[in-house]
């Protein structure tokens, strides 16, 4: 009406869609009868109101006139309220009274909470993942609330004098770490230092009062738990120059830890106005260029092991297509290789590499013997096998070993937990949910594998056939050639290690000295596995690297029973049936460890026994023993954290976060469960050995004593040609309390 639109023009415009909308729109909320068309409603409205000097019953010359018309019916009153809300929240029209400001803010809060309710079956009040919120300084918020909620009685002059002062411009500076930074002060507490408000409220307050811009935070899902990410990662971004070196000027970037690296890279490119397709994003955590790598675009920031205050570097391709920083890394690697070949310098120390690492990391504290020299690394590789039950700390052991630049794993195959069997499983229907090979039970009770169904798909698994007589003239286990395709250790189908080594060699970094294969439960056939790897021909990928010999070493790791509560699987088993768990863990598992350890030693295989408790709580000593056992590894570090894209990959589904040292500090209270030797669990009524029948208790205790004794000794394989030992546990322990009775351990 204020625009001078005539009744005829509006009616004609509405008539076009009136037929389609007739009977679908109910205008009774505006005080009109149901069933009216839009054109008829327009006529009714124009009949009641008109421009100043027009024909209507009343003239609308401004908002007051419109309010008079709107108050004539409840439905029109709601229209007036919505109009006020839109004007205040969207267009920055500040209400005339502070109390009206609170009403607008309260309505905005209710609307946002109704749009983003708590997720089902949770008490999390900030909505689903991805919900956006603002935070505002509590000091300013409380000052504004004091003013907006202050009511003045009509004509109350004294009350007006006590009205709080206006809060002034929005001021969030107290929340920031420093002037010009977007990073917040550490350890802020919600409700005490800051308040969480909807973005619509933050925008309205900023338009009304001006001042600091909004501080936006988003709801993320981290470690399978929803949380409002008050502290996103604060990274420092720099750009490489034409020589590949980072420029000195860095820019601060705040990014969610669950965001993808590709999103971060795109953001940094926009900051520096660089085309995305000509860039790579590097981590810059170490001064050593060889310790840096390109971040995988599909990984999240937390998967890429990015940390707060870490520096990232944007590499830009040169006009000729070259990548300067990548070339710098290649040059550094070649320089280190030349230094390693040069050997010790004039001062008798190694000029580069970890050949002299050995026991040097222990600093003489552990009183271990000096490390054996590393073999000729150009032609010999050590295949390292682990003998550790699933969910007993094998991943922790692997993460410590991975701290050595001379260890090669199968993680590059991008398969579950870097395990050899999963690398061999090329088809999803060959492996179970955890990546293990499916075995089916036949009508005769014997197991047969999916090999019978997928003959061409499992060349690494031999079809089980009836066992034949083993060569009776075989004196040395490594010289035996059994025709049986069923493993003598556990009766399962035997692996074809000619094929397995060939497949693994395509994922192992063959330039490294020690090559790790870690498959849970493969230790059950550890003796035949070690022998068959020794007997298998050198695979073509190794031949191309001039490798002509493989040596096998084994690390046995057992767990004191009182540390079983560290494993969720063990806690579930103990809760279901503690006696059954104790029989499985203390009687059968440990006796199998002892039997296989003796078999390996008798066969001349180098074996090292360590306890999981020592890896956690006697880290320096255990690292020294590992370096002594594997001198080619060099220095090991329990504080090492595997990095995504370099040490581990998304397909590995790496199940731990942080380092072994961090985990050890986190569970330091568990150390009280162990006696002073760090290996023996303190007695707990009805737990551990006390849960076993008397007949089984003695054998179980003797098995653990055997493992404890070997956990404090150096690896001593049987010399070639020496007679096989028949020593009992009492001889090993050099005690008299077992001398009168024969060993209870199976052989």
């Amino acid at each position: 009406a204020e625009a001078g639109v005539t009744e005829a023009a509006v009616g004609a415009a509405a008539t076009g869609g009136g037929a389609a909308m007739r009977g679908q729109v109910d205008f009774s909320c505006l005080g009109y009868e149901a069933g009216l068309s839009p054109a008829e409603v327009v006529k009714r409205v124009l009949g009641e109101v008109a421009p100043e000097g027009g024909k209507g019953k009343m003239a609308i010359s401004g908002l007051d006139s419109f309010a008079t018309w709107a108050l004539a019916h409840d439905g029109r009153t709601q229209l007036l309220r919505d109009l006020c809300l839109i004007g205040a929240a969207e267009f920055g029209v500040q209400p005339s009274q502070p109390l009206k400001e609170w009403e607008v803010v309260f309505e905005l809060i209710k609307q946002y909470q109704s749009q983003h309710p708590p997720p089902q079956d949770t008490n999390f009040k900030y909505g689903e993942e991805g919900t956006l919120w603002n935070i505002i300084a509590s000091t300013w918020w409380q000052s504004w609330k004091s003013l907006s909620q202050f009511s003045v009685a009509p004509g109350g002059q004294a009350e007006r004098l006590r009205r709080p002062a206006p809060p002034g411009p929005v001021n969030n500076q107290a929340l920031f770490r420093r002037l010009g930074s977007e990073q917040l002060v550490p350890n802020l507490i919600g409700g005490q230092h800051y308040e969480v408000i909807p973005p619509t409220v933050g925008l309205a307050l900023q338009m009304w009062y001006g001042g600091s811009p909004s501080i936006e935070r988003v709801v993320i899902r981290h470690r399978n738990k929803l949380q409002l990410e008050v502290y996103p990662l604060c990274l420092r971004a720099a750009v490489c120059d034409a020589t590949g070196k980072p420029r000195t000027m860095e820019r601060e970037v705040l990014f969610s830890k669950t965001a993808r690296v590709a999103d971060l890279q795109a953001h940094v490119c926009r900051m520096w106005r660089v085309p995305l397709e000509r860039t790579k994003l590097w981590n810059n955590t170490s001064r050593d260029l060889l310790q840096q790598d390109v971040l995988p675009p599909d990984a999240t920031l937390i998967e890429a092991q990015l940390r707060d205050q870490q520096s990232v570097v944007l590499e830009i391709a040169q006009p000729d297509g070259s990548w300067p920083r990548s070339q710098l890394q290649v040059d550094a690697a070649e320089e280190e290789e030349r230094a390693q070949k040069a050997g010790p310098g004039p001062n008798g120390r190694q000029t580069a590499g970890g050949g002299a690492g050995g026991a040097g990391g222990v600093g003489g504290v552990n009183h271990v013997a000096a490390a054996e020299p590393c073999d000729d690394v150009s032609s010999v590789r050590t295949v390292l096998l682990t003998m550790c039950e699933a969910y007993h700390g094998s991943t922790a052991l692997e993460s410590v070993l991975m701290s050595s630049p001379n260890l090669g794993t199968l993680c590059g195959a991008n398969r579950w937990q870097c395990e050899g069997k999963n690398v061999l499983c090329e088809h999803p229907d060959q492996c179970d949910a955890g990546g293990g090979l499916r075995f089916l039970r036949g009508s005769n009770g014997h197991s047969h594998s999916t090999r019978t169904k997928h003959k061409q798909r499992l060349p690494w698994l031999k079809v089980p056939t009836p066992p034949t007589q083993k060569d009776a003239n075989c004196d040395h286990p490594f010289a035996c050639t059994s025709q049986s395709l069923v493993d003598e250790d556990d009766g399962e189908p035997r692996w074809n290690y000619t094929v397995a080594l060939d497949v693994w060699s395509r994922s192992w970094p063959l330039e490294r000295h020690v090559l790790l294969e870690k498959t849970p439960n493969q230790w059950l056939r550890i003796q035949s596995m070690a022998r068959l790897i020794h007997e298998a021909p050198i695979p073509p990928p190794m031949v191309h690297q001039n490798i002509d010999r493989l040596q096998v070493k084994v690390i046995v790791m057992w767990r004191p029973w009182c540390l079983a509560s560290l494993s969720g699987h063990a806690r579930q088993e103990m809760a279901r049936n503690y006696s059954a768990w104790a029989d499985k863990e203390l009687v059968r598992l440990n006796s199998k460890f002892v039997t296989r350890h003796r078999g390996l030693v008798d066969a001349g295989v180098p074996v090292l026994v360590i306890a999981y408790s020592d890896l956690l709580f006697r880290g320096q000593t255990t690292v020294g023993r590992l370096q002594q056992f594997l001198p080619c590894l060099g220095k090991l570090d329990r504080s090492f954290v595997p990095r995504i894209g370099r040490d581990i990959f998304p397909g590995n589904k790496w199940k731990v976060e942080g380092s072994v040292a961090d985990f050890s500090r986190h569970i330091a209270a568990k150390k009280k469960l162990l006696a002073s030797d760090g290996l023996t669990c303190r007695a707990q009524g009805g737990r551990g050995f006390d849960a076993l029948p008397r007949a089984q208790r003695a054998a179980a205790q003797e098995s653990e004593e055997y493992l404890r004794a070997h956990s404090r000794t150096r690896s001593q394989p049987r010399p070639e040609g020496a007679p096989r030992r028949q020593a009992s546990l009492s001889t090993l322990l050099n005690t008299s309390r077992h001398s009168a009775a024969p060993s209870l351990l199976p052989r």
Side-chain angles (χ1 to χ4, degrees):
E2 287 183 332
V5 179
T6 65
E7 175 183 348
V10 177
T15 304
M21 299 180 63
R22 189 184 305 275
Q24 298 181 8
V25 181
D26 182 8
F27 293 99
S28 59
C29 63
L30 299 180
Y32 304 116
E33 61 269 23
L36 292 180
S37 68
E40 292 170 336
V41 171
V42 169
K43 292 180 180 179
R44 294 286 185 92
V45 172
L46 292 178
E48 296 178 5
V49 300
E52 189 171 0
K55 294 182 180 181
K57 297 178 182 179
M58 59 171 291
I60 294 183
S61 58
L63 188 59
D64 292 338
S65 301
F66 175 78
T68 303
W69 174 83
L71 290 173
H73 190 274
D74 291 342
R76 303 174 194 174
T77 305
Q78 184 59 47
L79 290 178
L80 180 60
R81 291 174 180 169
D82 291 341
L83 180 62
C84 294
L85 185 64
I86 292 171
E90 300 292 336
F91 298 100
V93 179
Q94 186 173 6
S96 58
Q97 299 178 12
L99 185 59
K100 295 294 184 181
E101 293 182 15
W102 172 250
E103 292 176 356
V104 170
V105 168
F106 184 74
E107 184 65 27
L108 292 175
I109 292 175
K110 285 198 305 179
Q111 286 187 4
Y112 200 76
Q113 289 177 340
S114 65
Q115 295 168 1
H116 303 280
Q120 189 174 6
D121 300 329
T122 68
N123 294 323
F124 185 72
K125 62 182 180 180
Y126 297 120
E128 297 284 355
E129 181 179 5
T131 304
L132 185 66
W133 294 87
N134 285 177
I135 63 175
I136 191 170
S138 289
T139 51
W140 191 93
W141 176 259
Q142 294 301 330
S143 177
W144 172 81
K145 281 183 63 178
S146 299
L147 175 65
S148 62
Q149 295 181 356
F150 183 82
S151 61
V152 179
Q157 183 65 27
E159 293 294 327
R160 290 190 177 88
L161 295 176
R162 294 194 296 109
R163 172 180 290 182
V170 178
N171 187 358
N172 291 324
Q173 193 56 48
L175 301 180
F176 294 109
R177 176 170 287 186
R178 61 181 179 275
L179 187 63
S181 172
E182 295 183 3
Q183 191 177 20
L184 300 184
V185 174
N187 304 318
L188 295 177
I189 301 174
Q192 178 178 342
H193 301 108
Y194 66 88
E195 303 291 339
V196 180
I197 58 176
T200 50
V201 174
L203 177 62
L205 293 174
Q206 208 279 332
M207 289 190 295
W208 297 345
Y209 291 93
S212 301
S214 302
I215 304 175
E216 295 184 345
R217 292 297 182 261
V218 69
V219 174
I220 65 170
R221 184 177 294 276
H222 180 47
R223 297 179 180 175
N224 203 29
K225 183 180 179 182
L226 290 173
Q227 57 181 269
L228 182 63
E229 191 179 30
V230 177
Y231 290 98
L233 290 180
C234 182
L235 305 173
R236 293 174 288 115
V239 176
C240 290
D241 57 20
T243 66
K245 297 180 180 179
R247 295 175 180 171
T248 55
M249 186 176 70
E250 295 180 330
R251 294 188 179 181
E252 184 181 83
V253 179
L254 259 66
F255 237 74
S256 171
K257 58 177 68 74
T258 59
R260 295 188 312 126
V261 171
D263 298 329
L264 172 64
Q265 183 175 348
H267 180 77
V268 175
C269 288
R270 287 193 297 269
M271 289 173 53
W272 295 99
R273 299 180 181 179
V274 177
L276 176 63
E277 61 275 7
R278 296 181 55 244
T279 63
K280 297 179 183 178
L281 192 64
W282 290 66
N283 71 30
N284 193 25
T285 57
S286 172
R287 294 184 179 180
D288 184 1
L289 187 59
L290 296 179
Q291 300 296 321
Q292 302 177 18
D293 49 28
V294 177
L295 296 170
D298 292 334
T300 64
L301 302 193
I302 194 168
E303 289 173 344
Q305 305 293 334
L306 292 178
R307 297 290 183 264
D308 206 41
Q309 296 298 322
Q310 180 173 327
S311 175
V312 293
V313 178
L314 191 69
E315 180 184 19
I316 305 174
Q318 297 302 297
D320 60 358
S322 62
W323 296 89
R325 190 165 185 81
S326 301
Q327 186 59 47
L328 272 182
Q329 192 177 58
V330 172
D331 295 342
E334 292 176 351
E335 179 64 27
E336 181 172 340
E337 184 177 355
R338 286 193 296 268
Q340 289 178 340
K341 291 181 179 179
N347 58 358
R349 299 181 63 183
Q350 194 78 8
T351 57
V362 247
V365 176
N366 301 312
H367 308 289
V368 296
E372 299 173 357
C374 185
D375 290 312
D376 181 10
V377 297
S378 63
S379 62
V380 180
R381 293 295 182 270
T382 297
V383 177
L384 179 62
L385 308 178
T386 59
M387 194 169 131
C388 181
E389 178 71 343
Y391 309 112
H392 279 56
S394 58
T395 305
L397 173 62
E398 183 176 16
S399 66
V400 173
L401 295 172
M402 287 169 71
S403 66
S404 167
N406 297 322
L407 179 89
T409 71
L410 293 170
C411 295
N414 205 28
R415 291 305 181 96
W416 175 268
Q417 297 300 320
C418 312
E419 295 165 1
K421 182 183 287 186
N422 303 330
V423 177
L424 299 175
C425 289
E426 298 179 359
H427 299 272
D429 57 351
Q430 296 171 4
C431 299
D432 55 28
L437 181 68
R438 287 187 179 138
F439 284 97
L440 308 176
R441 291 288 168 184
S443 58
N444 57 358
H446 296 293
S447 64
H448 59 86
S449 72
T450 51
R451 176 70 171 97
T452 58
K453 183 177 179 181
H454 306 282
K455 283 189 175 183
Q456 303 304 320
R457 297 183 184 179
L458 294 176
W460 52 277
L461 185 73
K462 297 184 178 181
V463 181
T465 59
T468 60
Q469 181 65 34
K470 193 175 180 179
D471 186 359
N473 297 322
C474 178
D475 293 328
H476 195 283
F478 281 152
C480 297
T481 54
S482 171
Q483 300 300 315
S484 172
L485 299 181
V486 176
D487 197 284
E488 63 267 24
D489 283 345
D490 62 359
E492 297 288 5
R494 179 180 298 163
W495 289 12
N496 183 337
Y497 286 98
T498 300
V499 176
L501 284 174
D502 181 67
V503 174
W504 293 340
S505 296
R506 302 177 194 278
S507 296
W508 272 328
L510 297 179
E511 71 279 4
R512 303 189 181 186
H513 308 157
V514 182
L515 308 174
L516 177 66
E517 201 302 88
K518 178 189 79 75
T519 298
N521 298 330
Q522 189 64 9
W523 66 268
L524 291 168
R525 54 191 70 88
I526 192 73
Q527 294 168 250
S528 60
M529 185 179 183
R531 173 171 58 81
L532 293 171
I533 289 177
H534 181 84
E535 293 174 351
I538 303 297
M542 291 188 175
V543 173
H544 294 158
Q545 293 285 335
N546 297 320
I547 299 171
D548 57 19
R549 183 165 65 91
L550 296 178
Q551 60 180 2
V552 180
K553 291 188 176 184
V554 179
I555 295 178
V556 179
M557 190 169 78
W558 64 283
R559 181 182 68 189
W561 62 264
C562 54
L563 295 184
S565 59
L566 296 177
S567 167
H569 291 79
R571 291 195 298 270
Q572 293 176 5
E573 291 185 19
M574 290 188 289
R576 283 194 298 265
N577 189 330
Y578 189 88
S579 298
W581 172 84
D583 176 72
K584 171 189 171 183
E585 183 89 2
L586 301 179
V587 180
R588 289 181 286 166
L589 180 61
N590 286 352
S591 67
K592 289 177 181 178
F593 272 15
V594 171
T595 302
R596 284 158 177 75
H597 177 264
R598 282 177 163 171
L600 290 170
V601 172
D602 288 347
V605 180
V607 190
L608 178 70
V609 181
I610 64 175
Y612 186 37
S613 56
D614 280 353
L615 184 68
L616 295 176
F617 304 126
R618 293 169 59 96
Q620 199 173 28
T621 301
T622 305
V623 164
R625 295 181 72 227
L626 289 169
Q627 292 173 163
Q628 183 187 56
F629 181 63
L630 297 162
C632 289
L633 286 183
K635 186 177 180 180
L636 298 175
D637 183 9
R638 289 170 67 249
S639 299
F640 174 77
V641 179
R643 283 182 286 181
I644 192 80
R646 174 182 173 176
D647 308 300
I648 54 178
F649 300 87
N652 301 148
K653 304 296 183 184
W654 195 252
K655 59 187 178 183
V656 297
E657 293 184 9
S659 67
V660 173
D662 292 337
F663 181 65
S664 174
R665 288 189 290 269
H666 180 69
I667 58 154
K670 294 288 184 181
K671 191 174 182 180
K672 298 178 181 179
L673 301 176
L674 298 163
S676 58
D677 63 355
L679 298 173
T680 306
C681 293
R682 300 182 185 275
Q684 301 178 31
R687 313 292 280 183
F689 295 111
D690 293 343
L692 297 173
R694 187 180 300 273
Q696 296 178 321
R697 192 179 306 166
Q701 289 174 333
E702 191 171 2
S703 296
E704 186 174 290
E705 287 183 12
Y706 180 97
L707 296 172
R708 286 203 304 265
H710 281 290
S711 298
R712 291 290 190 263
T713 60
R714 186 181 177 185
S715 169
Q716 293 288 349
R718 181 176 65 88
E720 187 173 353
R724 298 191 178 188
R725 297 180 294 104
Q726 298 294 332
S728 66
L729 178 64
S730 57
T731 304
L732 174 68
L733 297 176
N734 194 24
T735 60
S736 59
R737 62 189 185 93
H738 291 294
S739 58
S743 175
L744 299 173
L745 296 173
R747 292 201 53 87

